[in-house]
Amino acid sequence: MNMSISQVPGGKVVAIASSTGGPKALQAVITKLPAKLNAPIVIVQHMPPGFTASLAERLNTLSELSVKEAKEGDVLTAGSVYIAKGGKHLNIRYSGNRHVVYYTDEPNREGVKPCANYMYESLSESRYGEIVCVVMTGMGADGTKGITYLKKQKKTHVIAQEEESCAVYGMPKNIVNAGLSNQIVPLERIAQEIITNVGVM
């Protein structure tokens, strides 16, 4: 059976969290990534229901990567981007030798839904050999608790967006202050650091 490296134990995944200023920041990052990126990308961008689909469509037209709003049961494959649906919490489950998307409907957490903490915590149960976490512009502290937990369970590399290039330096600031970041980089360098960490097929 011919499976991509993203579907078998030992692969890598990129997990991005963003909020205020996120759509513009995501465009700056996703559009610079190659079609043959050797990992899937999952994104939690704080947005209400309805807006995440149009964000995914826009990024898909501008990017070499395939970008979509993640649907229940989607199988994560390298070179594809999955944006969490507004109004639900995105999780990743390993099932049938594949990593798949599933949604849960718990109340808001960190005041938001989707909440990146759920995504990061669910990845702690995955079969990925390494998780590359990227925390970008946004208010609050979403991502900090999830990555704190994830780092105890998995090989995890954390990239935080530098303050000067953030619309709001809340989420990355909390990552940095918690001592979780491996790198602090400006927005224009995030795409290159993702490529460096996961490689190209």
Side-chain angles (χ1 to χ4, degrees), residues 104-132:
T104 54
D105 201 23
E106 293 96 346
N108 287 15
R109 182 173 170 189
E110 300 289 341
V112 292
K113 190 176 185 179
C115 175
N117 283 329
Y118 281 109
M119 171 180 68
Y120 290 129
E121 287 163 2
S122 72
L123 283 167
S124 71
E125 305 293 323
S126 73
R127 298 288 183 91
Y128 286 113
E130 184 174 349
I131 322 298
V132 177

Side-chain angles (χ1 to χ4, degrees), residues 45-55 69 84-88 113-114:
Q45 161 66 41
H46 300 156
M47 274 185 157
F51 289 89
T52 44
S54 57
L55 173 64
E69 182 185 65
K85 187 184 298 184
K88 297 275 188 181
K113 190 176 185 179

Side-chain angles (χ1 to χ4, degrees), residues 69-102:
E69 182 185 65
K71 291 182 171 55
E72 184 83 17
D74 276 351
V75 177
L76 301 192
T77 57
S80 295
V81 180
Y82 306 84
I83 299 178
K85 187 184 298 184
K88 297 275 188 181
H89 295 301
L90 179 138
N91 301 262
I92 306 301
R93 174 186 287 142
Y94 186 74
S95 175
N97 293 325
R98 296 175 169 192
H99 289 98
V100 298
V101 171
Y102 74 99

Side-chain angles (χ1 to χ4, degrees), residues 16-89:
I16 300 176
S18 54
S19 187
T20 312
K24 186 176 178 182
L26 286 168
Q27 183 173 320
V29 173
I30 301 301
T31 58
K32 290 182 185 174
L33 295 170
K36 292 188 177 295
L37 190 76
N38 200 21
I41 299 176
V42 286
I43 297 172
V44 168
Q45 161 66 41
H46 300 156
M47 274 185 157
F51 289 89
T52 44
S54 57
L55 173 64
E57 287 166 15
R58 175 169 170 74
L59 289 176
N60 188 55
T61 62
L62 297 171
S63 307
E64 291 183 25
L65 295 163
S66 170
V67 185
K68 65 176 295 188
E69 182 185 65
K71 291 182 171 55
E72 184 83 17
D74 276 351
V75 177
L76 301 192
T77 57
S80 295
V81 180
Y82 306 84
I83 299 178
K85 187 184 298 184
K88 297 275 188 181
H89 295 301

Side-chain angles (χ1 to χ4, degrees), residues 2-3 9 12 43 70 99 139 149 156 171 189:
N2 184 25
M3 291 191 294
K12 295 183 179 183
I43 297 172
H99 289 98
M139 288 190 284
Y149 182 76
T156 307
M171 285 162 53
R189 267 188 45 212

Side-chain angles (χ1 to χ4, degrees), residues 155-178:
K155 183 180 179 185
T156 307
H157 185 88
V158 183
I159 300 169
Q161 186 179 345
E162 183 185 71
E163 180 175 8
E164 286 74 13
S165 62
C166 287
V168 180
Y169 189 54
M171 285 162 53
K173 180 182 180 181
N174 277 284
I175 291 291
V176 172
N177 288 349

